[in-house]
Amino acid sequence: MTRSVPPEQDRERGIGTLRRPSPARPVVEWPRDPTGGVKPVNLSQQHQESVDLVRRWVEEGRPFRQLCQDVVSHLRARYPHYNWVGVYMVEGPVLRLWAWDGPAPTQHVEIPLHSGVCGWAASTGETVNVPDVNQDPRYLQCFLQTRSELVVPIRQGSTVFGEIDIDSDTLAAFGPQDEAFVQAICDLLARRAADEALTGRTLGA
Ligand code: SME
């Protein structure tokens, strides 16, 4: 597969490179939301129904692992452009696949934190929306038909527990509404992860 080199301005913005925080001078500024709380967003009715459903699961104390499986299955069933949905969790220096739903398994069940779009999102604590995976040198290929990818960290304050990773067969499938929606789901998962005292990783550490 050929990959185009990102334009100069993209390289300057850090696209195409894995930015690692240096203890002396962090390259990435975080957190953008120091409280780690849910940001105010205008979700569609369908999005809001999904968020309310996941909130009920969290409030009834559903165990985190089961919650992850229920979330990925719900997202894939309800949103046709979410073709493959997974939850990766930080385990020391790697991300491990805890739950997934899609037409086929991925070979990437363990991803080093310095690798892939997934590693980039977990390392920086930032959402990554890749409109064309074939133009992003960070991308680790799983499925030939994937065209775009959205990765949203499961994060509370400066602690990143993991992330939701969504692959779509459609080019530029994800907009700001998807980002805000998946962020709201991830904020709920982060609450449950914190309740279960999962370790995650601390940004900048
Ligand atoms: N594409 C991801 C790897 C995970 S699979 O998409 C399921 C990445 O670039 O990190």
Side-chain angles (χ1 to χ4, degrees), residues 8-161:
E8 201 55 44
Q9 67 271 26
D10 277 357
R11 260 184 266 147
E12 277 166 23
R13 293 199 333 255
I15 294 173
T17 58
L18 183 59
R19 288 182 286 170
R20 281 174 220 251
S22 124
R25 192 167 67 85
V27 180
V28 180
E29 301 272 82
W30 61 70
R32 279 181 285 182
D33 174 9
T35 66
V38 178
K39 300 170 193 74
V41 284
N42 289 322
L43 298 180
S44 70
Q45 192 187 334
Q46 188 187 19
H47 285 158
Q48 193 58 57
E49 282 168 10
S50 293
V51 172
D52 291 344
L53 179 67
V54 175
R55 183 178 292 109
R56 281 200 297 280
W57 291 342
V58 168
E59 283 167 359
E60 78 190 21
R62 204 168 281 205
F64 187 77
R65 221 175 244 276
Q66 188 192 335
L67 185 62
C68 290
Q69 190 58 55
D70 293 339
V71 163
V72 295
S73 299
H74 171 79
L75 291 178
R76 176 153 183 264
R78 200 74 206 278
Y79 300 90
H81 59 304
Y82 294 7
N83 296 103
W84 187 96
V85 186
V87 171
Y88 283 95
M89 294 300 290
V90 175
E91 292 186 10
V94 299
L95 286 160
R96 198 166 314 280
L97 188 62
W98 277 32
W100 67 275
D101 197 313
T106 173
Q107 79 266 33
H108 296 298
V109 293
E110 180 184 301
I111 300 175
L113 284 172
H114 56 77
S115 181
V117 175
C118 288
W120 197 94
S123 302
T124 62
E126 292 182 15
T127 290
V128 190
N129 185 349
V130 181
D132 182 353
V133 293
N134 292 320
Q135 301 298 323
D136 194 318
R138 295 170 297 185
Y139 177 66
L140 289 175
Q141 188 182 66
C142 286
F143 313 108
L144 277 177
Q145 67 271 25
T146 298
R147 290 289 170 269
S148 56
E149 181 165 12
L150 176 66
V151 186
V152 180
I154 298 168
R155 164 182 165 182
Q156 197 174 59
S158 58
T159 303
V160 177
F161 295 104

